[in-house]
Amino acid sequence: MRKISIVGAGRVGETAAQILAEEEYCREIALLDVREDVPEGIALDILQTAPFFEFDCAVQGSNDPRILKDSDLVIVTAGIPRKPGMSRADVLETNVRIVDEVTDNILAHAPNAMVLIVSNPVDALTYRVAQRTGWDRSRVFGQAGVLDASRMASFIAQETGFSALDITTMVLGGHGDTMVPVSRFCTINGIPISYFLTEERIEAINERTRKGGAEILALRKNSSAYDAPGAAVATMVDAIVHNRRRLLPCVALLEGEYGEADIAMGVPCILSEKGVESVVELDLNAPERADFERSAAAVRGEIERVRAMS
């Protein structure tokens, strides 16, 4: 990839930019933010780490949306963050208006780009951007499941004492309290986690995963999580840039999969240089199906709020 742009030079955007530069996933990174001088300062700070991390990727920042020109991928992290006690839905109205403006800038300056949505509530905002652009679902998708699955894997590692490197997890549904950690598809080096953990401990991990972001927000007090979200973004970018065809949980528009359509939510996707190449439909059992449908209903509620703002 030649150019990746990040809209929103907050903590998630800055962390993602640092990792992308270090890994040299592209030749140029552009940071766009409305705060005067801030994106330029962040870009300069990242550039000054180049001798340490041995990269020569160009990094620049600006308040001018024309910096998006010729982007291959635009990562959207812009929006107001949650505060302790707030849900992701609480920031919906403000963030819809912010993301609408961002989308219009992408259409004007980077009409051939793919768009990765990180801003919350990510399911509803991914749907909004897809509707506003009219682009194919392969080009507009969201980051949530990669982060949630990582959180779940870290909790399993803490609980069992096994290396996080051997743990594979899968999380479906909306990004929030109704997300569906699917423990039946979670393994430790291929062995189901039920071999090592009781049903009670698994459910405790599932619940902690659902509230993983809120837990960090309550502990940090003055900011949401940004290290793990930035790393999750980089994982998705790596899959795209290197055409790895990785099976990752992403927010994607559904077109009949899982019995759902005209909705964006977390499902397993094949992520490649084409973006979302396809959606993988798991054979859910009755309880998993019921949880997924409840999560879909919650996401639909957010989408209806978005539609009402049109």
Side-chain angles (χ1 to χ4, degrees), residues 55-72:
F55 65 84
D56 61 2
C57 171
V59 186
Q60 59 177 326
S62 178
N63 306 129
D64 188 338
R66 287 178 294 183
I67 198 174
L68 301 177
K69 181 176 172 57
D70 297 329
S71 297
D72 299 300

Side-chain angles (χ1 to χ4, degrees), residues 1-4 25-29 69-72:
M1 228 173 238
R2 192 187 72 79
K3 182 175 180 179
I4 297 174
Y25 288 144
C26 58
R27 295 304 306 142
E28 179 183 353
I29 295 172
K69 181 176 172 57
D70 297 329
S71 297
D72 299 300

Side-chain angles (χ1 to χ4, degrees), residues 2-306:
R2 192 187 72 79
K3 182 175 180 179
I4 297 174
S5 293
I6 300 175
V7 183
R11 286 172 168 170
V12 174
E14 180 176 356
T15 301
Q18 179 72 56
I19 299 172
L20 299 187
E22 288 178 22
E23 297 296 331
E24 294 190 309
Y25 288 144
C26 58
R27 295 304 306 142
E28 179 183 353
I29 295 172
L31 287 162
L32 174 64
D33 197 279
V34 296
R35 295 170 296 168
E36 186 175 358
D37 296 332
V38 168
E40 292 93 333
I42 291 172
L44 186 59
D45 196 17
I46 291 172
L47 275 175
Q48 290 171 4
T49 70
F52 300 116
F53 296 112
E54 299 182 340
F55 65 84
D56 61 2
C57 171
V59 186
Q60 59 177 326
S62 178
N63 306 129
D64 188 338
R66 287 178 294 183
I67 198 174
L68 301 177
K69 181 176 172 57
D70 297 329
S71 297
D72 299 300
L73 172 66
V74 178
I75 302 165
V76 182
T77 68
I80 61 168
R82 287 193 296 163
K83 296 179 180 178
M86 294 175 68
S87 71
R88 292 176 179 88
D90 290 335
V91 300
L92 187 146
E93 184 170 344
T94 299
N95 284 354
V96 164
R97 302 197 187 285
I98 292 170
V99 168
D100 279 356
E101 182 178 350
V102 171
T103 304
D104 292 344
N105 286 329
I106 293 171
L107 286 167
H109 303 292
N112 298 314
M114 287 184 280
V115 183
L116 170 55
I117 307 298
V118 183
S119 309
N120 277 311
V122 65
D123 306 280
L125 293 181
T126 300
Y127 180 89
R128 179 74 165 194
V129 173
Q131 294 300 301
R132 199 171 182 87
T133 59
W135 292 350
D136 184 85
R137 75 172 178 183
S138 64
R139 293 178 61 190
V140 181
F141 42 92
Q143 189 285 115
V146 174
L147 171 61
D148 295 328
S150 175
R151 285 173 170 161
M152 187 178 186
S154 72
F155 297 150
I156 292 170
Q158 291 174 24
E159 184 75 18
T160 62
F162 289 120
S163 170
L165 299 178
D166 289 334
I167 300 172
T168 302
T169 54
M170 179 55 63
V171 177
L172 308 179
H175 183 49
D177 293 344
T178 65
M179 76 174 69
V180 186
V182 194
S183 56
R184 190 162 59 93
F185 293 98
C186 300
T187 64
I188 302 174
N189 207 8
I191 301 172
I193 61 170
S194 58
Y195 186 86
F196 303 101
L197 296 169
T198 65
E199 186 175 333
E200 180 183 21
R201 294 312 305 154
I202 291 172
E203 182 49 43
I205 289 170
N206 290 347
E207 185 61 18
R208 192 179 180 192
T209 301
R210 294 185 189 99
K211 300 183 183 303
E215 180 181 2
I216 291 174
L217 180 60
L219 291 168
R220 281 189 181 272
K221 297 181 177 60
N222 64 347
S223 81
S224 301
Y226 55 88
D227 288 321
V233 168
T235 294
M236 294 179 71
V237 172
D238 174 77
I240 295 166
V241 168
H242 294 110
N243 192 29
R244 296 193 190 279
R245 301 192 76 247
R246 289 198 65 185
L247 177 58
L248 297 171
C250 309
V251 178
L253 280 108
L254 299 184
E255 300 172 349
E257 298 91 352
Y258 297 92
E260 300 288 345
D262 196 31
I263 189 173
M265 59 191 300
V267 288
C269 297
I270 304 297
L271 201 60
S272 70
E273 65 182 3
K274 300 175 183 177
V276 173
E277 188 173 306
S278 62
V279 170
V280 175
E281 193 165 4
L282 301 176
D283 184 16
L284 302 181
N285 61 30
E288 292 162 352
R289 172 71 60 180
D291 288 344
F292 187 85
E293 290 174 354
R294 277 192 292 272
S295 189
V299 172
R300 284 192 187 283
E302 293 181 353
I303 289 175
E304 288 305 316
R305 287 179 60 194
V306 168

